[in-house]
Amino acid sequence: MERCQLTAIARVILILIFTAHFANSLSQENCRLLVWSDEFDYSGLPDTLKWGYDVGDGCDYGICNWGNLEAQYYTYRDLNNARVENGSLIIEARKELTVNKKYSSARLVTRDLMKLTYGRIEYRAKLAGGKGTWSALWILGDREELGWPDCGEIDVVEYVGAEPGIARGTAHQASGYAGAGPSMSILVPDAETVFHTYAIEWNSDSIVWFMDDQKYHVYYNEHTGEAQWPYDRSFYLLMNLAVGGTLGGPIDNAIFDTPVTVEIDYVRVYQTASEAGIQGKSVISRNEGNLVYFSPIPADKYTWSFPGGVAVVSGEGTSSVTVDWGCVEGSVTLEVESSCDTVSIDLPVTFGATEIEGKPAVYQGENAILYAVPIISGGTYAWSVPADAAIVGDANGKEILVNWGCSAGQVSVDIKGTCSEETVTRDIAIVPLGLTGPGYLSAGSRDHEFYTDSLHAGSYRWIVPEGVVINSGSDSHRINLDWGNIAGFVKVEVTNSCGVMEDSMLVNITSNLIIADFDVVDPVFQTFGGSNIEKADNPFRLGWNTSDLVGITYKGPTAASWGGFFTDLAEPMDFSYGSTFGMVVYAPRTGNVLFKIESSSGVAAPIEVSTPITTTGEWEKLFFIFEGAESNAFDRIALFFDFGQVFTDTFYFDDVALLRSHTVADLTLSQDGEITEGSEDGMVIHVDLHGDIFVESLQMTNWIFENLPEGVEAGTLNRLGDTEAELVLSGNTSVDYDEDITDFRVTVAMEELVHSDFPLSVDTGIVFTAVIENKTVERPSGTVRIYPNPAGDQLSIETGPGTAGKKKGRLVDMKGTVLMTFTMDGQLFTLDMSACRAGSYLLLLEDGSGVERILVIYAPR
């Protein structure tokens, strides 16, 4: 019986303990008080003390299209997109071209203004309807250096207009597949017309979602780590209305006939005293003064306490105090007495290294540079700067203004307080001279800018390659020039009282015909059939295309299915080196692009090639092959995106170019244009590029040799300059062959060349053939002279006086193809080479006594 009585007593005690614990937990939850809110009881722009803006297309934040293929541009302080009126915040999405997007909207954030960990967050709102809208009221972890989803995200409510009446609550974290965490929806049939309160209650163990206080979703902390629960750190609030994207889906433009809006009646944050904590610096300097500590909790009484030596300057007994710290680390403690409980909270404060705030790098001669340290209560300051810099005004305060000199150096300050004495230094660098401009150009292209930062003051001297013309700016920080025909360096020297600074950059010549890359070549396009085209910042700097600027095109709501745009070129296109065009495209969906080449004068019938778009969500390379197109007849290109369709989706495109089929290279030999059998050892083959340059370190493994005679091999490879290299053969020094030796072939891989981002349409690199002459072949008596060599359109062939009879002539390219034949009857013959393309050829003259082989270089002017 006694035992039973004790058991009953024990049960009562346990029940009392559990009841007390539960009551205390319930009390803590019930003691969540309003610590922050915006009731929107004013008019105009949102309160700048509470709301900031995320602006643009997301690229400046490293998440182009906000990471979700969204179609809107978020504006800054624009009443059309975010305004307070009639007691509500209005976020409005509009169909209007804004920078590089067809739609505008707003995204409001409390980043850097208000953050919280735990509590109840309420948004009372009417959400946007219509296909393509995506309303979001949410919070995001402020550890942005972790990246998403590791930083954590909690969507208090998301609403997609394409799914009317369904509101979602979701948690995103690293443990979810692709960041997608547990989500739950609730039916809200009148979400677009009636205000409802969407809320979460968030603590260290769980996140609970509510709609009008109806609980519909819970996410629990499984205590397995941050990948599953990144929700024990501070978050900030966000509100936005997106258009399209991975969740918003296809956009029905008809919805914009009436305003597309989210209306927020209020935003409120509730916390307990423990959740709100004490706000203020937790790492300070010894004797640091003017420190503010604050509690957002409304209370009847605030009792602050500090370690010894801390002096309260103001605010004793209120929610905010200002103090001058002493010499001892410790905690700031606050007892908060409210109508429902009394809670004691604290904030540990430690000493850290004192740091000088200010610019880490300055320009030579830059003035009025501010450097500062924290206020030290009762402290003194003694600043010093490099000998060629000067402090403007007081050198004994907590901050100074400096006029800098010429050299890098240190800013330092000796600080003395009641319990500390230290010297704090900061290394200051000089901003180096930096030259900016295009890294590649087409030969003969015009109107290009190169520049340095204008803060590099002084006199300027620009040095450009031969054949380049400086149009303007030769005595300023920015020049405009017309390029020549060869690659080379643009150099700038800035001379001031400090001396000379210089920088240079290599400009490559591409043999591609660049039609539009928007960074360097930006043609005027004319539209037709209701199509539109704009130049804009690249919203997807990744993959195949990391350039700054791109073209965007879309069809208007009344456009024809054949709508497109065209541009005229300065001169007709030469297809001698290939007739393949390329471009890169970023598309919201699959479709096609029709590429058309035309003659503005009508001398040739137009040719069209269509290529499908097969990839979405990333840049894709498209190629258009115009086999058999006549050279020098076409001087206009036209593009039709989504030809045959009338959708109004936006397509991005860039790097429209006529691609080269192979690099132009000339070959010269060290002896009369041939290698004589038995003297291969040490023979030099000289390679001279046109339109490209060699990489810094040539690798023999990238040079492939075919049909070399037995015992002969490539010995050494030397890079002579940007466009020149030499191959030195080794091996045979005396052996004659019994038969003629096939001319050998050399292929050089593209890895040996610095070239544009476009792949070659024939990825073979340089191809040429060297001539090996068999000694047993009798050479004709007398001499043959050709001139000029390199040749223009007319090549003169002259035989010596001892030569008689007719000679049969052949002009052969370096692949062995016979291009033309002729008969030479007399001592002088003129060969018309105007139908050839620039490069190296073999001239073969044959009579009864043998064959004369002569290397001809054709370089038309």
Side-chain angles (χ1 to χ4, degrees):
M1 177 67 71
E2 224 175 287
R3 185 167 176 269
C4 291
Q5 288 176 338
L6 289 173
T7 302
I9 293 172
R11 287 176 177 171
V12 170
I13 292 172
L14 288 172
I15 291 170
L16 290 173
I17 292 173
F18 175 78
T19 303
H21 174 75
F22 178 77
N24 183 63
S25 299
L26 186 61
S27 173
Q28 284 291 306
E29 294 294 319
N30 290 338
C31 275
R32 277 181 170 150
L33 303 174
L34 183 66
V35 297
W36 185 95
S37 72
D38 197 336
E39 304 295 325
F40 304 114
D41 52 1
Y42 52 92
S43 297
L45 290 168
D47 187 346
T48 56
L49 297 178
K50 294 181 178 180
W51 301 103
Y53 297 80
D54 281 344
V55 180
D57 56 11
C59 288
D60 290 341
Y61 302 83
I63 46 172
C64 287
N65 299 301
W66 301 104
N68 303 301
L69 299 181
E70 296 167 28
Q72 79 288 336
Y73 187 97
Y74 288 131
T75 60
Y76 174 71
R77 293 175 61 80
D78 189 331
L79 287 170
N80 287 327
N81 298 118
R83 61 189 177 274
V84 178
E85 59 187 25
N86 301 322
S88 295
L89 169 70
I90 309 296
I91 299 177
E92 180 174 354
R94 300 165 67 93
K95 185 181 183 301
E96 56 188 6
L97 185 64
T98 307
V99 185
N100 62 337
K101 294 292 186 179
K102 291 170 58 178
Y103 305 91
S104 65
S105 188
R107 175 155 139 165
L108 275 63
V109 300
T110 65
R111 184 195 306 111
D112 302 325
L113 296 171
M114 193 282 292
K115 299 177 184 178
L116 74 156
T117 306
Y118 310 139
R120 178 180 171 92
I121 301 164
E122 294 181 352
Y123 293 97
R124 183 165 177 80
K126 287 192 293 188
L127 305 173
K131 291 182 179 180
T133 64
W134 178 2
S135 310
L137 310 173
W138 50 305
I139 66 174
L140 186 65
D142 70 348
R143 291 285 304 279
E144 294 176 351
E145 73 277 7
L146 297 177
W148 187 93
D150 300 61
C151 64
E153 174 187 329
I154 305 173
D155 299 320
V156 180
V157 63
E158 286 183 295
Y159 186 84
V160 176
E163 300 176 355
I166 300 175
R168 292 181 176 87
T170 309
H172 296 273
Q173 68 295 124
S175 65
Y177 176 71
S183 182
M184 190 67 67
S185 62
I186 185 171
L187 189 62
V188 190
D190 55 0
E192 300 168 17
T193 57
V194 174
F195 283 106
H196 292 278
T197 301
Y198 304 93
I200 60 168
E201 290 188 357
W202 164 33
N203 57 47
S204 61
D205 293 320
S206 64
I207 305 165
V208 184
W209 280 259
F210 298 88
M211 193 285 297
D212 289 345
D213 288 329
Q214 178 183 349
K215 182 171 74 173
Y216 70 94
H217 183 31
V218 182
Y219 180 60
Y220 292 103
N221 184 358
E222 299 173 359
H223 302 284
T224 57
E226 287 196 353
Q228 186 268 328
W229 187 265
Y231 305 111
D232 288 331
R233 47 181 175 249
S234 59
F235 280 58
Y236 59 92
L237 310 184
L238 303 94
M239 303 182 293
N240 66 282
L241 173 54
V243 180
T246 53
L247 193 57
I251 304 163
D252 177 8
N253 285 314
I255 66 175
F256 294 97
D257 292 342
T258 57
V260 176
T261 62
V262 172
E263 296 184 47
I264 299 98
D265 181 31
Y266 62 72
V267 183
R268 295 173 183 170
V269 175
Y270 300 83
Q271 289 181 308
T272 66
S274 298
E275 290 171 340
I278 298 172
Q279 299 179 14
K281 290 178 69 174
S282 60
V283 180
I284 64 171
S285 299
R286 288 178 173 83
N287 290 136
E288 186 168 346
N290 204 34
L291 294 165
V292 177
Y293 293 97
F294 167 73
S295 171
I297 291 292
D300 299 326
K301 184 177 180 180
Y302 302 90
T303 304
W304 295 90
S305 59
F306 301 90
V310 177
V312 177
V313 177
S314 64
E316 185 70 84
T318 70
S319 61
S320 178
V321 293
T322 301
V323 302
D324 292 339
W325 206 269
C327 306
V328 180
E329 296 177 330
S331 291
V332 177
T333 301
L334 173 63
E335 185 177 88
V336 180
E337 183 178 329
S338 66
S339 57
C340 62
D341 65 359
T342 299
V343 178
S344 180
I345 53 179
D346 61 69
L347 174 69
V349 176
T350 59
F351 294 143
T354 304
E355 295 182 350
I356 296 174
E357 296 181 356
K359 297 174 69 173
V362 300
Y363 293 88
Q364 288 181 337
E366 185 176 354
N367 292 329
I369 310 163
L370 178 67
Y371 292 102
V373 291
I375 296 175
I376 300 301
S377 177
T380 62
Y381 311 85
W383 291 85
S384 62
V385 296
D388 61 348
I391 298 174
V392 181
D394 185 12
N396 302 113
K398 81 174 195 70
E399 60 186 29
I400 57 169
L401 287 176
V402 180
N403 291 342
W404 204 262
C406 298
S407 306
Q410 280 190 339
V411 172
S412 66
V413 58
D414 295 326
I415 305 174
K416 293 182 180 180
T418 57
C419 57
S420 65
E421 182 175 336
E422 62 179 328
T423 298
V424 184
T425 63
R426 181 163 190 182
D427 292 327
I428 309 300
I430 294 295
V431 178
L433 184 66
L435 179 57
T436 301
Y440 71 91
L441 295 172
S442 297
S445 58
R446 299 181 177 182
D447 195 27
H448 303 294
E449 287 197 339
F450 293 80
Y451 59 91
T452 67
D453 195 318
S454 61
L455 291 177
H456 289 293
S459 61
Y460 298 85
R461 176 172 177 257
W462 292 89
I463 304 166
V464 297
E466 182 179 355
V468 176
V469 177
I470 298 178
N471 300 316
S472 63
S474 57
D475 58 351
S476 73
H477 75 284
R478 183 184 295 268
I479 62 169
N480 179 281
L481 52 78
D482 296 339
W483 201 258
N485 295 315
I486 61 173
F489 286 90
V490 173
K491 301 179 182 179
V492 62
E493 296 176 353
V494 178
T495 303
N496 54 31
S497 59
C498 298
V500 179
M501 300 177 73
E502 59 182 34
D503 193 24
S504 63
M505 65 176 293
L506 175 65
V507 179
N508 297 318
I509 296 297
T510 175
S511 49
N512 292 339
L513 172 62
I514 306 298
I515 296 171
D517 67 3
F518 302 101
D519 295 287
V520 177
V521 183
D522 184 20
V524 175
F525 284 104
Q526 299 182 53
T527 61
F528 52 84
S531 182
N532 296 275
I533 182 172
E534 303 283 345
K535 181 174 72 173
D537 290 334
N538 183 356
F540 319 98
R541 293 187 180 94
L542 44 82
W544 288 116
N545 189 18
T546 58
S547 65
D548 292 331
L549 299 174
V550 299
I552 60 174
T553 181
Y554 58 93
K555 293 174 183 174
T558 60
S561 61
W562 42 265
F565 49 91
F566 72 91
T567 187
D568 288 327
L569 308 182
E571 57 187 27
M573 292 175 284
D574 180 6
F575 297 129
S576 300
Y577 294 104
S579 55
T580 296
F581 291 86
M583 74 168 71
V584 290
V585 174
Y586 195 108
R589 56 180 174 76
T590 58
N592 67 85
V593 179
L594 181 69
F595 199 118
K596 183 178 183 180
I597 59 175
E598 300 178 85
S599 167
S600 61
S601 61
V603 300
I607 305 176
E608 300 176 350
V609 172
S610 180
T611 297
I613 299 171
T614 61
T615 302
T616 61
E618 62 184 74
W619 287 103
E620 179 182 10
K621 290 188 176 183
L622 301 183
F623 299 98
F624 306 83
I625 303 173
F626 289 82
E627 290 182 335
E630 180 183 354
S631 286
N632 302 318
F634 298 93
D635 60 357
R636 173 181 293 171
I637 67 127
L639 292 170
F640 307 76
F641 279 75
D642 229 15
F643 183 76
Q645 304 295 327
V646 292
F647 297 115
T648 59
D649 295 303
T650 298
F651 293 85
Y652 300 79
F653 70 101
D654 202 2
D655 297 336
V656 183
L658 174 61
L659 307 182
R660 58 193 177 182
S661 60
H662 59 80
T663 299
V664 183
D666 282 342
L667 166 70
T668 54
L669 307 179
S670 61
Q671 295 182 6
D672 301 326
E674 62 189 26
I675 300 173
T676 304
E677 179 183 314
S679 61
E680 290 91 346
D681 190 64
M683 181 61 65
V684 175
I685 301 173
H686 186 95
V687 181
D688 185 16
L689 297 179
H690 295 274
D692 256 313
I693 67 171
F694 285 112
V695 296
E696 287 291 335
S697 299
L698 296 180
Q699 302 293 326
M700 184 67 81
T701 54
N702 289 326
W703 297 63
I704 301 170
F705 303 90
E706 302 173 75
N707 298 329
L708 277 174
E710 185 177 354
V712 179
E713 60 185 22
T716 59
L717 173 63
N718 303 312
R719 184 183 190 273
L720 302 182
D722 288 345
T723 62
E724 296 178 287
E726 282 186 346
L727 290 166
V728 182
L729 299 182
S730 64
N732 187 26
T733 60
S734 60
V735 176
D736 294 338
Y737 299 100
D738 294 333
E739 299 177 357
D740 287 353
I741 304 301
T742 304
D743 297 340
F744 76 88
R745 177 183 174 96
V746 183
T747 303
V748 184
M750 288 309 302
E751 285 77 9
E752 296 291 81
L753 304 178
V754 177
H755 57 97
S756 74
D757 292 336
F758 277 112
L760 305 187
S761 55
V762 178
D763 192 12
T764 54
I766 313 163
V767 179
F768 55 83
T769 303
V771 182
I772 296 180
E773 177 67 27
N774 191 309
K775 278 187 175 180
T776 60
V777 176
E778 293 294 333
R779 300 173 61 83
S781 60
T783 60
V784 175
R785 187 168 75 95
I786 64 170
Y787 56 89
N789 194 11
D793 288 344
Q794 305 296 318
L795 176 68
S796 296
I797 306 169
E798 184 178 358
T799 62
T803 303
K806 294 183 179 180
K807 292 183 181 291
K808 293 181 179 180
R810 289 175 291 163
L811 186 69
V812 181
D813 68 16
M814 302 310 284
K815 297 181 181 180
T817 303
V818 177
L819 302 177
M820 63 179 73
T821 61
F822 60 92
T823 300
M824 183 175 178
D825 189 5
Q827 289 187 312
L828 182 63
F829 183 82
T830 301
L831 182 64
D832 184 0
M833 298 190 64
S834 61
C836 300
R837 65 185 184 189
S840 301
Y841 299 86
L842 288 176
L843 178 64
L844 283 71
L845 293 176
E846 182 179 2
D847 57 18
S849 60
V851 178
E852 179 85 4
R853 289 185 174 94
I854 303 171
L855 181 70
V856 178
I857 298 174
Y858 175 48
R861 292 169 175 77

